[in-house]
Amino acid sequence: MESSASINQRIARISAHLNPPTNSQMEGNCVLRRGNCRAKGGSPGFKVAILGAAGGIGQPLVMLMKMNPLVSVLHLYDVVNTPGVTSDISHMDTGAVVRGFLGKEQLEDALTGMDLVIIPAGVPRKPGMTRDDLFNINAGIVKTLCEGISKCCPKAIVNLISNPVNSTVPIAAEVFKKAGIYDPRRLLGVTMLDVVRANTFVAEVLGLDPREVDVPVVGGHAGVTILPLLSQVKPPCSFTTKETEYLTSRIQNGGTEVVEAKAGAGSATLSMAYAAVKFADACLRGLRGDAGVVECAFVSSQVTELPFFATRVRLGRSGVEEIYPLGPLNEYERAGLEKAKKELAESIEKGISFARK
């Protein structure tokens, strides 16, 4: 029969797993350390942290990442409500071990030893609000979180979702440069939602299953900077001028479509979480060493004269291992590219200027 001391220790271990102690608690006479709180049966795989785990994107993102067999440890960080989300998600009978971290004082604990960090943190868009309206709040949040990454997991792959991505990725790059740990291969702005929307909307027009459609989307992640290359759709097809204009506009304004449909109740959270998990899975497969993992992402680039640009990239053990050129563009896409670059240049400079203040 199991001794009372053994039972109490197991209960304490489970409690510590769900509610990690703060640094001050750990300095006392705590029986259990976080390193000893790993549940039995944890799967082999990668350690992933989600920063902003209790938010509108964060919660469905956490749930979907908990289901990913490539994840062994899942750290959930936010400034509010993390204990509840952690408790809820931890009841799912999948292999990943879940731990929650609450508040800035636990940020470093949340990040230590991570292989992949996903950042959906920040405020969502509301009706009438542009991505630039989000800048002042979200820019500061991203800067703080990236400072933590610099200190605690400088080799991690970083998937940045927080809007405006066209500015927050340059902010993150500047923070990493200042810390002396910048590796452009490991910083990726997540533009996968633009690709997901493009595949869906094109499939609707063509009468196909979206899973059979592949639309490269380049440029950036806001308005006219989102440039779907409809001339390069797979399977190969052609569109009328009217169809091209309709599809391009809908893909560029997909976020606004959702914000207006929710009428003040939020932005694109569920589809964004799906897209983020799809991209995170690609990054994890790259880390595992899978061949031929290619997705679109907003990265440090020499494809154009701009320092950052979204194009197809091949993912591997070091993050971005190859950046593909744009390929042949038609006249409509060339005109769109010039519009995209003009706005994108301003957004990139805005992020760099903020980080250097």
Side-chain angles (χ1 to χ4, degrees):
M1 186 172 179
E2 193 172 9
S3 69
S4 176
S6 176
I7 292 172
N8 288 338
Q9 187 175 26
R10 192 170 75 252
I11 292 172
R13 190 181 300 277
I14 293 169
S15 176
H17 163 63
L18 293 176
N19 300 290
T22 62
N23 289 334
S24 60
Q25 289 173 322
M26 291 181 73
E27 288 168 2
N29 295 322
C30 182
V31 175
L32 295 169
R33 301 291 183 186
R34 184 171 294 108
N36 296 326
C37 294
R38 182 177 172 82
K40 286 185 178 180
S43 64
F46 298 100
K47 297 178 180 179
V48 179
I50 299 176
L51 311 183
I57 297 170
Q59 291 197 40
L61 171 56
V62 164
M63 183 182 73
L64 293 169
M65 288 304 292
K66 178 72 165 77
M67 296 165 65
N68 191 311
L70 296 180
V71 179
S72 62
V73 175
L74 189 60
H75 281 190
L76 316 186
Y77 170 84
D78 214 319
V79 293
V80 293
N81 301 329
T82 325
V85 175
T86 304
S87 178
D88 194 358
I89 292 294
S90 70
H91 293 180
M92 294 171 61
D93 59 348
T94 61
V97 175
V98 182
R99 301 187 184 114
F101 302 83
L102 180 65
K104 191 174 180 180
E105 65 277 5
Q106 291 192 0
L107 176 60
E108 292 185 7
D109 292 330
L111 289 169
T112 300
M114 295 295 104
D115 300 304
L116 174 67
V117 179
I118 308 171
I119 309 179
V123 299
R125 259 208 306 165
K126 297 178 181 177
M129 183 185 286
T130 67
R131 283 183 172 84
D132 276 345
D133 293 330
L134 304 177
F135 180 82
N136 288 331
I137 297 174
N138 288 358
I141 292 171
V142 168
K143 186 176 181 182
T144 297
L145 296 177
C146 288
E147 287 169 350
I149 293 169
S150 299
K151 183 176 181 181
C152 301
C153 54
K155 297 294 186 182
I157 305 294
V158 178
N159 288 180
L160 191 46
I161 299 169
S162 306
N163 276 318
V165 167
N166 294 351
S167 298
T168 54
V169 169
I171 289 170
E174 291 300 313
V175 171
F176 295 152
K177 287 176 185 176
K178 185 176 179 180
I181 60 99
Y182 181 50
D183 182 346
R185 300 172 300 172
R186 298 179 181 273
L187 174 60
L188 303 96
V190 180
T191 61
M192 179 64 84
L193 182 53
D194 301 323
V195 176
V196 165
R197 285 174 174 150
N199 292 344
T200 300
F201 301 159
V202 167
E204 289 176 359
V205 170
L206 297 178
L208 297 174
D209 185 328
R211 292 169 295 181
E212 298 173 357
V213 177
D214 183 18
V215 185
V217 182
V218 303
H221 185 55
V224 298
T225 71
I226 300 168
L227 183 60
L229 301 183
L230 298 176
S231 67
Q232 299 180 27
V233 170
K234 293 180 181 178
C237 57
S238 60
F239 299 98
T240 65
T241 300
K242 188 174 181 180
E243 286 173 335
T244 297
E245 291 174 349
Y246 162 77
L247 285 167
T248 300
S249 176
R250 192 174 180 205
I251 293 163
Q252 290 176 339
N253 295 295
T256 301
E257 181 180 317
V258 175
V259 168
E260 291 177 351
K262 289 191 174 182
S267 58
T269 53
L270 303 176
S271 55
M272 182 65 249
Y274 165 79
V277 168
K278 189 174 181 180
F279 187 72
D281 180 72
C283 290
L284 293 177
R285 285 185 285 117
L287 282 172
R288 186 173 63 180
D290 290 16
V293 181
V294 177
E295 299 292 351
C296 291
F298 186 65
V299 297
S300 174
S301 170
Q302 295 181 336
V303 168
T304 69
E305 65 273 21
L306 299 175
F308 297 92
F309 200 80
T311 46
R312 285 184 183 274
V313 300
R314 180 169 58 82
L315 301 168
R317 295 187 189 278
S318 300
V320 176
E321 297 199 338
E322 185 177 1
I323 299 174
Y324 294 102
L326 293 175
L329 306 182
N330 61 30
E331 185 178 349
Y332 184 85
E333 291 162 351
R334 287 194 296 271
L337 177 62
E338 294 309 310
K339 290 179 185 176
K341 288 195 294 185
K342 182 178 179 182
E343 184 170 316
L344 196 49
E346 295 173 0
S347 298
I348 291 170
E349 181 55 38
K350 188 173 184 179
I352 292 172
S353 297
F354 175 87
R356 290 179 177 176
K357 283 194 298 187

